Amino acid sequence: IIFVDLDGTLINKGNRTVLETTKEAINQAKMNGHLVVLSTGRPPVLFYGSDKQLGIDSFIACNGRFVVVEGKVIYQEPIPTDTITELVEYCEIVKIDLSFQNQNEYILQSNHDNLYKKFSDNFNVDYPILKPDYYKEMDVYQMGLYYDKDDFDKFNQQFSTLSFHFSCAYGLDVNAKGGMKELGLKKVLDYLNYKKEDTIAVGDGYNDIGMIKLAGIGVAMGNAPADVKQHANIIARDVRDDAIYYLIKTLKII
């Protein structure tokens, strides 16, 4: 099984189009009997057809909290409403904007600042729709906290049941405690009765570290930060340099 990140791995950040060489490599890998699983911090609503471009129907979304294998939902873990309420109340006091994400929607709780626009522009996704208190009626698998300071670790100390991870200069991914993408990887392995030794995980971000460390072969992209690369068995090319095609050929998958 090949678990592969989206932003900075399958697509260059800010793009919505997959390289033709990447499509070719993924298609050949599938034809050779390998299962390819998209593993991303994005919710499915923000895939914008990347999965369809690649012919992938298995994915780990929302940093491991919504998992689909061959079109079937095998795992979903919404954040408890009372936990969200605690963060919402704090964010309202300090005037920090927060978003909610599930398989179908990307929703904004408040509109105090424009950081959510900068965050969305960074990943070339549509701006979230303003719907205060959306979480009280609908499941939320991940939140976005729009914060551009260096002291974001304070949130992990203040909210013991949530984890806050750097996503980009304009915001943090907020998930329930318990790991990141490696959580979804484990769910896929359990469902298909695979061993971790039979897996490859490829990524470039801090939310990829767990799955890179867990997989039989962990791969960091050439464009990944040094803190990510140090956990990998292999360093691939830069995402802009046909990285996935050359990686899959080097590993003799095709």
Side-chain angles (χ1 to χ4, degrees):
I1 308 179
I2 307 167
F3 296 89
V4 60
D5 171 50
L6 183 58
D7 292 286
T9 301
L10 283 173
I11 60 174
N12 193 19
K13 290 181 179 178
N15 289 349
R16 292 188 183 182
T17 303
V18 180
L19 290 173
E20 290 301 320
T21 57
T22 300
K23 294 179 185 178
E24 179 185 345
I26 296 295
N27 185 56
Q28 288 189 34
K30 289 163 53 188
M31 290 176 63
N32 288 348
H34 301 281
L35 176 65
V36 181
V37 180
L38 180 63
S39 185
T40 178
R42 293 191 186 207
V45 69
L46 299 184
F47 287 179
Y48 297 124
S50 296
D51 52 334
K52 304 296 189 298
Q53 291 182 55
L54 293 163
I56 294 175
D57 60 0
S58 299
F59 58 82
I60 296 166
C62 297
N63 283 319
R65 271 53 186 200
F66 192 82
V67 183
V68 171
V69 175
E70 297 178 333
K72 179 182 178 181
V73 178
I74 66 160
Y75 179 72
Q76 47 192 322
E77 182 191 351
I79 303 173
T81 302
D82 57 347
T83 299
I84 299 176
T85 299
E86 184 181 359
L87 181 59
V88 166
E89 291 177 349
Y90 173 80
C91 287
E92 190 57 38
I93 293 171
V94 296
K95 305 303 180 188
I96 295 176
D97 292 322
L98 189 69
S99 70
F100 308 123
Q101 303 164 27
N102 58 30
Q103 70 272 39
N104 296 317
E105 295 187 277
Y106 178 37
I107 300 299
L108 190 66
Q109 167 67 19
S110 59
N111 187 4
H112 298 299
D113 201 349
N114 68 347
L115 283 180
Y116 75 91
K117 292 183 177 179
K118 293 182 178 181
F119 180 94
S120 300
D121 290 342
N122 182 78
F123 292 104
N124 191 19
V125 299
D126 297 335
Y127 296 153
I129 299 169
L130 183 64
K131 291 184 183 179
D133 296 337
Y134 171 88
Y135 71 95
K136 293 181 179 179
E137 303 295 333
M138 303 295 291
D139 285 340
V140 172
Y141 298 107
Q142 180 169 262
M143 293 181 283
L145 186 72
Y146 303 107
Y147 190 74
D148 60 353
K149 310 292 190 300
D150 292 331
D151 60 346
F152 65 84
D153 282 340
K154 69 180 183 180
F155 295 108
N156 283 311
Q157 300 170 10
Q158 186 168 345
F159 299 93
S160 60
T161 60
L162 292 171
S163 64
F164 298 79
H165 291 266
F166 178 85
S167 180
C168 74
Y170 310 112
L172 313 173
D173 290 338
V174 185
N175 299 95
K177 289 280 191 189
M180 297 293 278
K181 294 180 183 179
E182 71 275 13
L183 173 64
L185 188 152
K186 292 174 184 176
K187 297 299 180 181
V188 173
L189 296 189
D190 289 346
Y191 179 74
L192 295 174
N193 195 27
Y194 267 68
K195 297 178 181 178
K196 67 178 182 179
E197 290 77 15
D198 297 321
T199 64
I200 300 167
V202 191
D204 75 304
Y206 292 101
N207 59 345
D208 296 311
I209 290 175
M211 74 170 187
I212 287 172
K213 291 171 63 176
L214 180 63
I217 300 175
V219 183
M221 298 291 286
N223 46 282
D227 291 347
V228 177
K229 291 178 178 177
Q230 69 178 350
H231 299 287
N233 306 111
I234 296 172
I235 308 300
R237 296 188 181 199
D238 188 283
V239 64
R240 296 165 293 186
D241 192 20
D242 298 315
I244 296 301
Y245 178 81
Y246 285 106
L247 172 66
I248 289 179
K249 287 202 71 171
T250 299
L251 293 175
K252 302 187 185 305
I253 291 169
I254 60 175

